[in-house]
Amino acid sequence: KQEVTQIPAALSVPEGENLVLNCSFTDSAIYNLQWFRQDPGKGLTSLLLIQSSQREQTSGRLNASLDKSSGRSTLYIAASQPGDSATYLCAVRGHNTDKLIFGTGTRLQVFP
Amino acid sequence: GAGVSQTPSNKVTEKGKYVELRCDPISGHTALYWYRQSLGQGPEFLIYFQGTGAADDSGLPNDRFFAVRPEGSVSTLKIQRTERGDSAVYLCASSLGSNQPQHFGDGTRLSIL
């Protein structure tokens, strides 16, 4: 059974710092991995999707990497801003299924 | 609308009652998903539809939960004989099809008293 873990559970940093959020999964036979952002009381916003054949994806200040063989992904946030404060979730999708398996998230607070 | 719409945004009801939660997917999206998110946890998969049919309902916790999508667009999640443990945020997502990013609604916050 696939299990997804995110470390740290919470993170509080001053504005301007570069951050690394970690995601690990127990079954390396994934189809893709997706990073989401969730603001309080809101749904999930997709940030980056990495196919199993890819090593990384970039969007603006965000960079996500994938090491499928070791069951790890990292989300790198450059030059963090207070507006980045939210919960970040990673989710994996296995082969022959469309359902996503989520981690419990990292709650990020960036203070001015 | 441009995004996935879920109604109601909040629902409070008493234990034992029946509830229906509605999801309007993005126009043209053939796949629709239901997830449940408890406080401090990530979303957990319940069921997904490809068109009108349930392609995978393995996440439904028991037979009190049922979902339909009769015309391949709007979906309704139905919960019978609600229990306090059903309290959670119920999220709906849609996508253009398999292997496409899932786009989420803001959810329905269900509270069972």
Side-chain angles (χ1 to χ4, degrees):
Chain A
K1 178 187 172 186
Q2 178 73 270
E3 293 183 2
V4 181
T5 304
Q6 291 187 245
I7 295 173
L11 187 60
S12 182
V13 299
E15 182 176 9
E17 282 205 1
N18 300 322
L19 309 171
V20 175
L21 308 183
N22 297 291
C23 173
S24 61
F25 45 96
T26 54
D27 184 352
S28 62
I30 65 169
Y31 196 83
N32 60 40
L33 182 145
Q34 201 165 353
W35 281 94
F36 292 89
R37 168 187 173 135
Q38 186 173 33
D39 292 285
K42 297 293 186 181
L44 281 63
T45 300
S46 180
L47 298 173
L48 292 163
L49 184 149
I50 311 177
Q51 302 295 347
S52 61
S53 58
Q54 297 175 323
R55 294 300 296 254
E56 66 177 340
Q57 283 285 340
T58 298
S59 176
R61 294 183 293 109
L62 305 179
N63 175 278
S65 66
L66 174 64
D67 184 343
K68 197 174 73 163
S69 61
S70 67
R72 295 175 188 271
S73 175
T74 60
L75 179 67
Y76 178 81
I77 303 176
S80 58
Q81 302 171 357
D84 295 330
S85 298
T87 296
Y88 290 81
L89 293 152
C90 73
V92 299
R93 180 183 159 224
H95 293 276
N96 301 315
T97 178
D98 255 8
K99 67 182 180 185
L100 299 178
I101 308 295
F102 284 86
T104 54
T106 293
R107 191 170 64 255
L108 172 66
Q109 182 181 12
V110 181
F111 53 89
Chain B
V4 177
S5 176
Q6 292 188 247
T7 54
S9 55
N10 285 282
K11 176 71 176 179
V12 180
T13 192
E14 294 178 342
K15 176 183 171 184
K17 299 291 187 183
Y18 168 84
V19 296
E20 289 190 351
L21 311 179
R22 176 187 169 106
C23 174
D24 267 290
I26 293 172
S27 179
H29 281 196
T30 60
L32 185 147
Y33 312 80
W34 285 99
Y35 294 84
R36 178 168 72 173
Q37 186 175 25
S38 299
L39 190 64
Q41 302 295 315
E44 292 182 315
F45 170 79
L46 296 176
I47 184 171
Y48 99 85
F49 291 86
Q50 184 60 48
T52 60
D56 184 349
D57 65 357
S58 62
L60 294 177
N62 52 59
D63 62 5
R64 295 187 297 105
F65 289 74
F66 189 71
V68 296
R69 196 186 185 199
E71 298 179 356
S73 178
V74 171
S75 176
T76 305
L77 178 66
K78 308 179 181 189
I79 310 174
Q80 299 177 322
R81 304 183 304 280
T82 52
E83 300 177 356
R84 292 197 179 90
D86 298 335
S87 297
V89 175
Y90 289 80
L91 294 165
C92 177
S94 69
S95 71
L96 281 169
S98 294
N99 197 30
Q100 298 298 314
Q102 296 181 20
H103 300 269
F104 283 78
D106 286 344
T108 293
R109 183 175 300 277
L110 178 63
S111 300
I112 309 298
L113 304 180

